[in-house]
Amino acid sequence: MTDPISSFRRIAQMDTPSRPAAAKVSERATDSSSETAVKPAPMRTDEVQLSEVAQKAMQEPQFDRAKVESIKSAIQQGLYPVDSRRIAENFVAIEKMIKG
């Protein structure tokens, strides 16, 4: 029987008593020979070298912590201004980018 995915031949799974003894012996022989022939590949490590611009960007803070804290405080106090029209326009722009 051939496996439709890998196209390799495989022995159909049958009950042990009905399977020929020669098939059992040949399976054991191929199993034992394949164990000794396969050796693991040596481990290699990859190395990444960043450009000067990338190194500088990684050293700088990614966000202004003070600004984030001030916005968080304003939201908690209910003082953060929300422009619903601007939010809606940005959603429309995102939708156009996705569909386009």
Side-chain angles (χ1 to χ4, degrees):
M1 174 179 266
T2 303
D3 185 358
I5 295 174
S6 64
S7 299
F8 288 112
R9 298 184 84 200
R10 62 179 175 178
I11 297 174
Q13 295 177 348
M14 297 186 289
D15 294 333
T16 306
S18 62
R19 182 185 263 185
K24 291 180 190 176
V25 172
S26 67
E27 282 181 1
R28 288 184 193 138
T30 56
D31 289 345
S32 63
S33 65
S34 65
E35 289 176 9
T36 57
V38 177
K39 293 182 181 179
M43 295 295 291
R44 297 190 309 187
T45 58
D46 293 333
E47 184 177 323
V48 176
Q49 294 181 354
L50 299 176
S51 66
E52 289 179 30
V53 175
Q55 290 174 354
K56 186 177 179 182
M58 290 182 70
Q59 291 173 353
E60 294 178 5
Q62 294 183 2
F63 62 93
D64 185 359
R65 189 169 302 276
K67 185 174 182 178
V68 170
E69 291 301 321
S70 68
I71 292 171
K72 187 188 287 187
S73 174
I75 291 171
Q76 289 173 346
Q77 296 171 3
L79 302 175
Y80 189 77
V82 177
D83 185 0
S84 58
R85 181 175 180 86
R86 185 172 175 202
I87 293 171
E89 288 171 353
N90 286 329
F91 273 118
V92 169
I94 291 171
E95 287 292 324
K96 287 181 180 177
M97 285 191 304
I98 292 172
K99 291 179 182 178

